[in-house]
Amino acid sequence: MNLETDPVKICNIFNDTFLLRNKDSIGTRPTLPCVDFNNISGVSFSSFTILDKTQLYKIVSSLPCKKSCGYDGISMELLKRCYASIEVPLLHLVNSSLLSGEFPSSAKLAVIKPLLKKDDPHIPENYRPIALLPTVSKVLEKAACSQLIDFLDSHKLLFEFQFGYQKFKSTKLALTNFINKCIDALEGGEVAIGCFIDLSRAFDCVDHSILIQKLSSIGIGGTVLKWLASYLSNRFQRTMVTFSHSDNSKKSYFSDTSPNLTGVPQGSILGPILFIIYINDIHLHIPRNSLTIFADDTCLFTKNRIYP
């Protein structure tokens, strides 16, 4: 097997592999049944509330103080250290974005780092993409996500047996829910059966047009829907690989910049909540009491009596 040695070409191979993987995830999606995407919630969330300095400070303080950074070279650690000097322009930027319904184009470029997941390191498909997003993107996402979650929670719009990415829910509660179902079945003299499903590259499977329709169906509209559509559209990525040279020095190389038209951004704050909204209507097609879900990990439960 001939191995590529040119660093830039290796970066482009990784980048093309990750983009093709995303495209294949959408391309192999089965045809969906007819779904009514009209507003079925009876409530609406059409505009964001602007932030004051106290709210912005709380958002920035809540974000992990990491040294990693995206293409802009600004880490969350650096932003927090300089926060007092940039508070006013940052507040203006965040509020302008929320009020206009436009997510800044400059915050849509992700730097992708390949992380070996299994087996042969010479096969690009064995790597998982880790996205590094601009730090300002994280602040904007947190500001929008907080209000989105408040809306979902206050109107109880998320499926009750979805235990992922929500306050006061966890893997422990998901496990307890499933075990209790098994205990109830066994105490009733029945057999308990569980089918465990794990979606491959789940976040990459999200179709933007369907997600926007589902957001609308639960009452999200106006500037909020416009902002979320802007957040998802026209995103780009480039892959970075760091190589060690013979003199023990290290240098990072980049692939070409390419559009990413599918999925929700890996490593983002909004990505997980958008994903669980995307699959939130699963209980309309499967008996709700048979489901236990944590993000994309789904358990289908059934029970039946044993006859002699």
Side-chain angles (χ1 to χ4, degrees):
M1 179 174 65
N2 295 325
L3 298 178
E4 181 60 68
T5 57
D6 183 88
V8 175
K9 289 183 178 179
I10 291 173
C11 291
N12 280 312
I13 290 172
F14 272 120
N15 203 51
D16 292 343
T17 299
F18 296 146
L19 289 171
L20 181 62
R21 183 185 298 176
N22 292 2
K23 183 179 178 181
D24 288 345
S25 297
I26 294 293
T28 56
R29 174 175 48 80
T31 302
L32 291 172
C34 293
V35 179
D36 182 7
F37 286 119
N38 293 318
N39 186 346
I40 58 176
S41 67
V43 294
S44 65
F45 178 31
S46 58
S47 61
F48 290 109
T49 302
I50 63 171
L51 307 182
D52 57 29
K53 289 183 178 181
T54 301
Q55 291 169 320
L56 180 63
Y57 178 76
K58 184 177 179 181
I59 286 172
V60 173
S61 298
S62 69
L63 295 169
C65 191
K66 295 183 177 180
K67 294 183 178 180
S68 58
C69 53
Y71 80 94
D72 56 355
I74 302 173
S75 66
M76 185 56 68
E77 181 186 48
L78 177 60
L79 185 141
K80 289 188 176 187
R81 286 179 180 272
C82 301
Y83 181 76
S85 300
I86 64 171
E87 180 184 49
V88 173
L90 182 60
L91 181 63
H92 176 72
L93 171 64
V94 172
N95 283 332
S96 296
S97 174
L98 297 179
L99 289 175
S100 66
E102 295 292 336
F103 190 85
S105 298
S106 59
K108 295 183 183 182
L109 174 60
V111 174
I112 308 297
K113 295 183 68 174
L115 178 67
L116 183 63
K117 192 175 181 181
K118 61 180 180 180
D119 305 331
D120 191 344
H122 299 107
I123 301 176
E125 288 77 7
N126 290 342
Y127 286 78
R128 179 163 61 94
I130 303 298
L132 299 177
L133 300 172
T135 297
V136 171
S137 171
K138 297 289 185 70
V139 178
L140 282 163
E141 288 184 57
K142 185 70 174 181
C145 193
S146 299
Q147 296 188 40
L148 176 60
I149 291 174
D150 286 344
F151 169 72
L152 296 172
D153 288 346
S154 62
H155 297 290
K156 296 180 171 55
L157 295 175
L158 294 179
F159 178 46
E160 60 187 307
F161 298 125
Q162 166 64 263
F163 293 91
Y165 306 117
Q166 298 177 72
K167 292 179 181 178
F168 312 118
K169 291 194 174 184
S170 64
T171 51
K172 291 182 180 179
L173 288 178
L175 184 59
T176 300
N177 177 265
F178 175 72
I179 291 175
N180 286 340
K181 292 178 182 178
C182 294
I183 292 173
D184 290 343
L186 296 175
E187 288 181 345
E190 297 174 303
V191 173
I193 301 173
C195 177
F196 299 90
I197 303 169
D198 181 20
L199 293 178
S200 176
R201 302 189 295 273
F203 282 20
D204 299 333
C205 295
V206 175
D207 183 299
H208 292 171
S209 61
I210 293 177
L211 173 58
I212 293 300
Q213 289 175 309
K214 290 191 175 186
L215 288 166
S216 179
S217 75
I218 60 172
I220 297 173
T223 307
V224 177
L225 189 63
K226 180 184 176 183
W227 190 93
L228 290 170
S230 175
Y231 169 78
L232 291 167
S233 65
N234 299 317
R235 301 195 72 92
F236 292 85
Q237 72 174 53
R238 59 177 178 174
T239 298
M240 176 183 75
V241 181
T242 301
F243 292 87
S244 298
H245 296 286
S246 56
D247 60 355
N248 293 324
S249 64
K250 292 184 178 181
K251 183 177 180 181
S252 295
Y253 296 84
F254 293 88
S255 71
D256 296 332
T257 300
S258 304
N260 186 355
L261 306 177
T262 61
V264 291
Q266 299 281 353
S268 64
I269 293 173
L270 267 172
I273 193 68
L274 291 177
F275 177 79
I276 65 174
I277 291 173
Y278 188 72
I279 65 169
N280 192 54
D281 57 359
I282 187 173
H283 65 88
L284 299 178
H285 309 283
I286 300 172
R288 60 191 307 119
N289 289 332
S290 68
L291 289 165
T292 302
I293 311 174
F294 188 91
D296 62 301
D297 295 323
T298 304
C299 174
L300 302 178
F301 173 85
T302 188
K303 61 182 179 179
N304 207 343
R305 189 168 299 279
I306 302 176
Y307 294 97

